[in-house]
Amino acid sequence: MKTTVGDWTESFLGTRNLLRRVRDKLLHEARVVSYKQGQQVFGPDNIPDSLMFLHVGRIRVSQSSDAGREIVLYRVEAGESCVLTTACMLSEEAYNAEGIAETDVTAITLPRTSFDRLAAEEDSFRGFVFSAYSRRLIDLLRVVDDVAFGRMDVRLAERLLALGEGHSEIQATHQALANELGTAREVVSRILNDFQKRGLILQTRGRITLQNKPQLEILANSA
Amino acid sequence: MKTTVGDWTESFLGTRNLLRRVRDKLLHEARVVSYKQGQQVFGPDNIPDSLMFLHVGRIRVSQSSDAGREIVLYRVEAGESCVLTTACMLSEEAYNAEGIAETDVTAITLPRTSFDRLAAEEDSFRGFVFSAYSRRLIDLLRVVDDVAFGRMDVRLAERLLALGEGHSEIQATHQALANELGTAREVVSRILNDFQKRGLILQTRGRITLQNKPQLEILANSA
DNA sequence: TTGCGTTAAGTGACATTGTCACTGAAGAGT
DNA sequence: ACTCTTCAGTGACAATGTCACTTAACGCAA
């Protein structure tokens, strides 16, 4: 079933209590775009010229070093907007972050002129954009805090718990976890082996089982 | 000589090409605030309820860990706005960054309702705010990149060059430099002693002389 | 099923950075 | 000259990052 701008506008109106007349404006000027899981949505060599609002799926925004290391900055969930592209567009500065579709993704793009006009005319739309910016700023503060001051074992425990929420099986390679945290695979291996020795987890190739969540939580909160 | 809202509006109009009618709006609703050098402008326990635009001076925005370490996120210069407070206000989330007046500071505050209205009515004002957000987002990307992937000696060399721009004498304690970079004093001492052995700098208590800028630049660019 | 190629994970040595508990040194004020 | 306070130095150790490998697990095809 094909997603339409109307579908999104509907859900957007629902979650954001936008005035009904916003709908018509959006319907005329927005366009639907799709990405397959794993595709790059934006990146240094792929700077979009319109604003993006995520309708379905999840986008992982990460930054990578020239040495090949990588760190996840945040994730854009359905209903949110991707302000980094907006930021880049508006300030016309370079950045070296990229967005990868973590699932199949459907998004709505709004040309810059439409964005400007909507931001001018609709309070709730403008509020949505401002608060999207704010949330990301605060996300980044958290990342800085973690990276600058946090211990790696604590951060890893946090991620494991987050990834294993609801269940206890995590499908992720050590390399993938290292890319989440901005560290090296060897470091993750070291810490996970330690966790295993302590009975906190079980490991098989590409899969981790959380064995003792309470203890992991204690560790994760011992920031 | 006392600064007035008019003074600021004048310079703001100048730098931002705002429409002239913005002036009147600002004149009625903005208020001037001042801080002495070293005073906290905002912080976790001191969340402002209005938006701030810096007229004179410089604000250092930093984040600190509970272990007492500290890292500078960016600096707000005259003519810029302090979006972090805005972000916090709009999203009503907690953060643990603080702003310190690095010089005597004069700023203009705008109540939230005025901010909303101006953002709605004046394109250039809105554009100013959006691009302020964008700049900070990108600043933070840079910080994340540095902290996650950068070498400490390289980062320190960068700072020294930045602080010694135009001259070659820097007045800063090792502790202060550590707080810039989010590391420990001992680490800075170690690296500076190494720099000195290599003839890149000279040190006396509380003061560093850049002896060999070209070499420092090579180091700083060997990211 | 056996072998092969690919990807994931383990290992040990070493470099860098962070932490701790100190000691020593330089300047400010009396 | 004698304190006080602040700044910087030191050595041992822990945590993290890097490198150059080796070993193991799985997917697939002969």
Side-chain angles (χ1 to χ4, degrees):
Chain A
M1 200 194 73
K2 194 161 158 24
T3 301
T4 66
V5 174
D7 293 339
W8 170 72
T9 309
E10 207 60 66
S11 74
F12 191 72
L13 285 169
T15 55
R16 294 289 312 166
N17 290 321
L18 284 187
L19 296 175
R20 194 138 282 276
R21 67 175 182 279
V22 174
R23 173 178 188 148
D24 302 318
K25 295 179 182 170
L26 288 171
L27 279 173
H28 286 104
E29 303 170 4
R31 292 285 172 267
V32 175
V33 291
S34 292
Y35 299 90
K36 289 276 167 219
Q37 175 174 17
Q39 257 192 297
Q40 190 193 65
V41 177
F42 65 90
D45 307 322
N46 173 16
I47 298 175
D49 60 345
S50 38
L51 287 307
M52 239 181 35
F53 300 88
L54 196 52
H55 181 228
V56 175
R58 190 172 60 238
I59 297 175
R60 181 181 68 239
V61 178
S62 61
Q63 194 169 39
S64 47
S65 76
D66 20 52
R69 259 163 68 198
E70 204 176 316
I71 185 169
V72 172
L73 301 173
Y74 57 81
R75 289 179 161 81
V76 184
E77 307 277 346
E80 300 182 334
S81 102
C82 183
V83 289
L84 197 54
T85 60
T86 313
C88 184
M89 233 191 67
L90 295 175
S91 80
E92 291 169 10
E93 275 195 75
Y95 62 87
N96 58 339
E98 66 168 0
I100 302 286
E102 234 175 3
T103 64
D104 285 0
V105 154
T106 309
I108 275 66
T109 64
L110 207 56
R112 181 170 178 166
T113 52
S114 308
F115 171 82
D116 283 342
R117 205 157 41 71
L118 261 175
E121 294 171 0
E122 299 300 338
D123 290 355
S124 57
F125 180 84
R126 192 175 53 252
F128 175 74
V129 174
F130 275 132
S131 81
Y133 263 99
S134 302
R135 192 152 349 100
R136 292 319 169 200
L137 263 182
I138 291 178
D139 285 347
L140 287 187
L141 288 188
R142 172 67 199 244
V143 173
V144 170
D145 195 286
D146 279 1
V147 174
F149 306 130
R151 288 179 53 93
M152 200 52 83
D153 52 355
V154 173
R155 293 174 59 207
L156 184 50
E158 276 171 7
R159 286 290 170 143
L160 291 179
L161 286 168
L163 292 171
E165 216 181 334
H167 45 287
S168 285
E169 291 278 299
I170 298 168
Q171 198 137 24
T173 66
H174 294 187
Q175 183 64 62
L177 291 168
N179 288 347
E180 290 276 330
L181 300 172
T183 185
R185 176 188 58 80
E186 295 92 319
V187 174
V188 170
S189 293
R190 217 157 29 198
I191 297 174
L192 286 181
N193 286 335
D194 180 56
F195 284 180
Q196 185 162 36
K197 266 180 207 138
R198 295 205 262 157
L200 304 181
I201 61 168
L202 278 183
Q203 296 181 78
T204 58
R205 181 190 171 96
R207 161 177 254 95
I208 296 166
T209 309
L210 305 189
Q211 198 84 45
N212 188 340
K213 286 199 186 186
Q215 202 61 40
L216 272 175
E217 265 153 22
I218 291 173
L219 180 57
N221 293 325
S222 71
Chain B
M1 202 193 70
K2 194 161 157 27
T3 301
T4 66
V5 174
D7 293 338
W8 171 72
T9 310
E10 208 58 67
S11 75
F12 191 71
L13 285 169
T15 56
R16 295 289 311 163
N17 289 321
L18 285 188
L19 296 177
R20 194 138 281 277
R21 68 176 181 278
V22 173
R23 174 179 187 146
D24 303 318
K25 293 179 183 170
L26 288 171
L27 278 173
H28 286 103
E29 302 171 5
R31 292 286 172 267
V32 176
V33 292
S34 293
Y35 299 89
K36 288 276 166 222
Q37 175 174 18
Q39 258 193 299
Q40 190 194 64
V41 178
F42 65 89
D45 308 321
N46 174 15
I47 298 176
D49 61 345
S50 38
L51 287 306
M52 239 179 36
F53 300 88
L54 194 54
H55 181 228
V56 175
R58 190 174 58 238
I59 297 175
R60 181 183 67 239
V61 178
S62 61
Q63 195 169 38
S64 47
S65 76
D66 19 53
R69 260 162 68 199
E70 202 177 316
I71 185 170
V72 173
L73 301 173
Y74 56 82
R75 289 179 161 82
V76 184
E77 306 278 346
E80 300 182 333
S81 103
C82 183
V83 289
L84 198 53
T85 60
T86 314
C88 183
M89 234 191 68
L90 295 175
S91 81
E92 292 169 10
E93 274 194 75
Y95 61 88
N96 60 339
E98 66 168 0
I100 302 286
E102 230 172 9
T103 65
D104 285 359
V105 154
T106 307
I108 275 67
T109 64
L110 208 55
R112 181 169 178 163
T113 51
S114 308
F115 172 82
D116 282 342
R117 205 157 40 72
L118 262 175
E121 293 172 1
E122 300 300 339
D123 291 355
S124 57
F125 180 83
R126 193 174 54 253
F128 174 74
V129 174
F130 275 131
S131 81
Y133 264 99
S134 302
R135 191 152 351 100
R136 292 320 169 199
L137 264 181
I138 291 178
D139 285 347
L140 287 187
L141 289 187
R142 172 67 199 246
V143 173
V144 170
D145 195 286
D146 279 0
V147 174
F149 307 131
R151 290 181 53 93
M152 199 51 83
D153 52 355
V154 173
R155 293 174 59 206
L156 183 51
E158 277 172 7
R159 288 288 170 145
L160 292 178
L161 286 168
L163 292 172
E165 217 182 331
H167 44 286
S168 284
E169 291 278 299
I170 299 168
Q171 198 137 23
T173 66
H174 294 186
Q175 183 65 62
L177 291 169
N179 289 347
E180 290 276 331
L181 300 172
T183 185
R185 176 188 59 81
E186 295 93 320
V187 175
V188 170
S189 294
R190 225 172 3 213
I191 297 174
L192 285 181
N193 286 334
D194 180 55
F195 284 0
Q196 185 161 35
K197 265 180 208 141
R198 295 204 263 156
L200 304 182
I201 61 168
L202 280 182
Q203 297 182 78
T204 59
R205 181 190 171 96
R207 161 176 255 93
I208 297 167
T209 309
L210 305 190
Q211 198 83 44
N212 188 340
K213 286 198 185 185
Q215 202 61 40
L216 272 174
E217 265 152 24
I218 291 172
L219 180 56
N221 294 324
S222 70

